[in-house]
Amino acid sequence: MVRYIIPYIFLYLFYLPFRILPYRACLFYGRFLVRLLYPLAKKHRKIAYDNISHAFPEYSEEKKKELVWKSFLHIGDLLAGTLFAPRLSRKWMDKYLVYDAESLAIEQKTIQDGVGVVLISGHFGTWEILVQFMGIRMKGGGIYKKVRNPYVDRLIHKLRSKNGIKLVSTEESSQVTKMLKQGYWVGFGSDQNAGKVGIFVDFFNRKASTYQGPALMAYLTGAKMLLYSVLCGEKGKVMVRVKDLGFVDKSAFSDREAAIRHYTEVWTKALEEEVKLYPEQYFWVHRRWRTKPGDFPGQI
């Protein structure tokens, strides 16, 4: 068990300042850490540069490099938001959350309707803050992948569920359909590379293997699909943008596969449009396009 305890202690000590410092100080500290590590992150800087070059071929070299730098600075904000997020409260939300009128109206009406919601987000903005305020503002649920280290796993589970969100592990994903039918808002961060289990849809000028989970769950349960962008603003503000993607219209498609593909394309395109507005807040260092058409025979 020593091999698990030592990494856990290291992680906890890393987390400790974010548990103690005021919110704005956490943001400053997060960016400070990223500035220290940036010169060492050559591999990830290259990944970000390559991804940005494909996504924005019209950008000059100077603009691409500037976006790489800004996206890394944002990782500092993301780190701070992630580790501060378990401390969120209604008082904090009243001070820092900013909704535009349309987004707030969509959220309030959906809560009043009492329907289950497939809440779709991406590795964009400060997504762990979204996880936490889902537990406070609505009947929130989420899916998480267990960590091999049991101490780290318990810590992550405790932090993520701090504000009342109901978590189920990927091994218990059948519970998701029950939760959606019971009116839960279940979050899906589905813009990672899906490997051989995904379907290919267009995302920033390339085919990307994409998870079918959000569209499939909406199809099976009749849940509403909402796309959330939770973005870092000035002076620590967190901007919340909501796009109503509606319900699956089964009658418009010949079979389930066609419907799932269509709605997967819909939410992926909606996410792309959001990222174009705030490109410095996308997680360009992840290998979103690692799986390519032809890597796995039979993949659509």
Side-chain angles (χ1 to χ4, degrees):
M1 287 303 234
V2 174
R3 65 192 178 101
Y4 291 136
I5 293 174
I6 293 175
Y8 168 77
I9 292 173
F10 177 80
L11 177 64
Y12 191 83
L13 290 174
F14 180 80
Y15 158 63
L16 194 57
F18 296 97
R19 185 177 180 180
I20 299 170
L21 293 172
Y23 171 61
R24 297 284 293 276
C26 287
L27 293 173
F28 177 85
Y29 183 53
R31 286 203 168 199
F32 169 74
L33 292 175
V34 168
R35 287 177 186 272
L36 285 180
L37 296 174
Y38 185 77
L40 305 176
K42 292 182 179 179
K43 177 182 176 181
H44 290 92
R45 279 155 46 194
K46 184 179 185 306
I47 292 171
Y49 177 83
D50 289 343
N51 285 339
I52 288 168
S53 295
H54 279 284
F56 302 103
E58 71 278 11
Y59 280 11
S60 66
E61 289 300 301
E62 181 181 358
K63 192 170 182 178
K64 291 173 186 175
K65 291 176 182 177
E66 181 185 14
L67 184 50
V68 170
W69 168 240
K70 287 182 176 179
S71 70
F72 268 79
L73 276 183
H74 171 70
I75 291 175
D77 294 337
L78 171 62
L79 175 65
T82 297
L83 296 178
F84 181 87
R87 298 165 61 188
L88 258 61
S89 64
R90 289 193 179 276
K91 183 178 179 181
W92 182 94
M93 291 192 299
D94 290 342
K95 183 175 182 179
Y96 288 105
L97 284 189
V98 179
Y99 281 74
D100 61 87
E102 182 181 0
S103 295
L104 183 59
I106 292 170
E107 182 181 284
Q108 290 179 336
K109 184 179 186 306
T110 305
I111 291 173
Q112 290 170 2
D113 291 343
V115 297
V117 174
V118 171
L119 191 155
I120 305 168
S121 186
H123 290 76
F124 178 48
T126 179
W127 64 80
E128 286 292 337
I129 284 181
L130 170 60
V131 172
Q132 293 295 337
F133 84 64
M134 279 176 65
I136 299 174
R137 292 183 69 89
M138 60 275 291
K139 191 176 178 181
I143 307 166
Y144 84 103
K145 187 175 182 179
K146 287 185 176 181
V147 178
R148 184 176 297 178
N149 185 318
Y151 301 104
V152 174
D153 183 70
R154 280 198 292 271
L155 177 63
I156 292 173
H157 188 280
K158 180 180 178 181
L159 294 178
R160 279 196 159 184
S161 59
K162 185 75 162 46
N163 280 306
I165 193 169
K166 181 178 179 180
L167 293 176
V168 296
S169 70
T170 51
E171 290 85 357
E172 304 171 303
S173 55
S174 61
Q175 295 296 316
V176 173
T177 55
K178 294 180 181 179
M179 291 167 64
L180 288 169
K181 290 178 179 179
Q182 292 168 357
Y184 276 87
W185 294 44
V186 181
F188 291 81
S190 298
D191 66 327
Q192 288 183 309
N193 174 46
K196 64 181 179 181
V197 302
I199 56 174
F200 285 106
V201 300
D202 292 330
F203 187 57
F204 278 106
N205 307 312
R206 285 187 285 176
K207 297 292 183 183
S209 179
T210 305
Y211 286 105
Q212 303 173 63
L216 176 61
M217 287 296 105
Y219 182 95
L220 292 175
T221 65
K224 189 176 190 178
M225 291 174 288
L226 298 179
L227 180 82
Y228 267 68
S229 302
V230 178
L231 302 156
C232 297
E234 296 181 356
K235 298 181 179 180
K237 297 292 186 180
V238 176
M239 302 178 295
V240 183
R241 293 169 55 85
V242 186
K243 301 297 179 187
D244 188 348
L245 305 182
F247 298 89
V248 172
D249 180 6
K250 295 182 181 180
S251 65
F253 302 92
S254 59
D255 54 36
R256 186 172 83 172
E257 287 69 27
I260 291 171
R261 169 169 289 281
H262 171 78
Y263 287 102
T264 300
E265 290 172 343
V266 166
W267 76 253
T268 302
K269 184 63 177 177
L271 176 61
E272 180 179 318
E273 293 304 314
E274 287 292 293
V275 174
K276 285 178 178 177
L277 296 176
Y278 304 91
E280 72 282 356
Q281 297 199 35
Y282 194 61
F283 200 60
W284 295 107
V285 296
H286 76 269
R287 303 293 296 273
R288 178 68 183 93
W289 296 270
R290 170 180 281 180
T291 300
K292 299 176 177 58
D295 285 354
F296 299 100
Q299 188 175 15
I300 302 173

